[in-house]
Amino acid sequence: MAGYISIKNLQKYYGTFHALKGIDLEIAQGEVVCVIGPSGSGKSTLIRCINRLEPFSNDSAITVDGVPVVPGRSLAKVRAEVGMVFQNFNLFPHLTVRENIMLAPRRVRGTPRAEAQGLADRLLARVGLSEQGDKYPSGLSGGQQQRVAIARALAMEPQVLLFDEPTSALDPEMVGEVLDVMRDLARTGVTMVVVTHEMGFARQVADRVIFMDGGAVVEAAPPETLFSAPVEQRTRNFLHAVLDH
């Protein structure tokens, strides 16, 4: 049975560099999948292909809820259902926190201003930032900015949330506040694909952990299996390096 997100023979080249090597992956609706692996293994490229922020080879196929991820109308439909949280927040510096969250519902869905403002305030409360709506992004800590970015992604009521190393640009003491918000989201039934270096988070929250290396999926298993009894030697080497140091 095809997954809610279905990826078949995903190939991605940067010039002659083969970044993704024929990845096949099915992700179920409501599943929380964490993608781990060394830098340069293709993790971020993989999730950026899901909403076609990265174009991919013509012989590859991705669908989200049955809708093909191809340029044109269907891509707009996919992107309306897929929220993305980036490593570096990507908030608009000239808009207040509240305005950042209101922007997409107003522009894309035509949501009336008062309704969009109410939605933004509810989402700020949800990520623990009720008092920050009138501030500009520059007035917030990195952890607060990332929580605003999560609220902004939620404003379109997406069916899927993609996280591209959401804590790697943060000071260590701010990582926990962002992971707490993500833990709460994981309990809501939204489909989540998270590229992360946070092994504890992957172990606690994921339904399945995918280990990538060299542009390929080396191993995929529930966290209790992958962390305790990985099958592949390459997975064992990676986990030994990151968990023992």
Side-chain angles (χ1 to χ4, degrees):
M1 192 177 79
Y4 189 77
I5 301 171
S6 179
I7 300 171
K8 296 192 187 320
N9 187 38
L10 180 57
Q11 308 274 357
K12 169 68 182 178
Y13 289 87
Y14 294 103
T16 58
F17 177 64
H18 200 180
L20 296 176
K21 300 171 182 173
I23 288 175
D24 293 303
L25 195 57
E26 304 289 331
I27 297 172
Q29 188 165 18
E31 190 176 13
V32 178
V33 173
C34 285
V35 185
I36 65 172
S39 295
S41 58
K43 308 182 299 294
S44 293
T45 305
L46 168 65
I47 69 160
R48 289 170 69 87
C49 286
I50 293 173
N51 60 357
R52 213 177 169 97
L53 287 178
E54 290 285 356
F56 44 84
S57 299
N58 291 334
D59 53 352
S60 308
I62 301 178
T63 59
V64 177
D65 195 16
V67 178
V69 180
V70 293
R73 231 179 242 176
S74 69
L75 181 57
K77 186 175 178 185
V78 166
R79 285 182 175 165
E81 299 299 329
V82 178
M84 181 104 184
V85 179
F86 299 91
Q87 185 175 331
N88 292 315
F89 327 135
N90 288 12
L91 299 174
F92 291 106
H94 64 289
L95 299 179
T96 66
V97 163
R98 185 181 290 107
E99 289 166 344
N100 264 281
I101 299 168
M102 292 167 61
L103 188 64
R106 296 210 67 212
R107 286 240 178 118
V108 179
R109 294 233 165 106
T111 304
R113 182 174 180 83
E115 190 180 324
Q117 187 164 329
L119 172 65
D121 288 342
R122 286 195 300 279
L123 289 171
L124 283 171
R126 185 169 172 184
V127 298
L129 294 171
S130 290
E131 308 302 312
Q132 310 296 338
D134 294 325
K135 288 187 178 175
Y136 288 88
S138 60
L140 302 183
S141 70
Q144 289 173 324
Q145 288 187 60
Q146 192 60 293
R147 284 188 279 156
V148 173
I150 293 171
R152 180 180 62 181
L154 291 171
M156 291 292 283
E157 300 175 327
Q159 299 301 305
V160 177
L161 281 170
L162 308 176
F163 294 86
D164 187 5
E165 301 191 16
T167 60
S168 63
L170 300 178
D171 291 335
E173 66 268 23
M174 295 173 186
V175 168
E177 65 192 54
V178 173
L179 294 180
D180 285 345
V181 170
M182 292 171 63
R183 279 189 194 93
D184 288 342
L185 285 176
R187 298 186 193 108
T188 67
V190 67
T191 306
M192 290 170 58
V193 186
V194 184
V195 172
T196 185
H197 294 291
E198 302 292 337
M199 298 299 142
F201 175 83
R203 198 172 214 151
Q204 290 171 1
V205 177
D207 297 305
R208 192 162 41 129
V209 178
I210 291 169
F211 171 64
M212 287 184 68
D213 190 31
V217 172
V218 175
E219 190 165 350
E224 60 272 16
T225 303
L226 190 121
F227 285 106
S228 303
V231 173
E232 300 294 334
Q233 184 63 45
R234 180 68 190 92
T235 315
R236 290 197 289 273
N237 292 346
F238 173 78
L239 292 174
H240 176 72
V242 298
L243 296 177
D244 293 354
H245 297 288

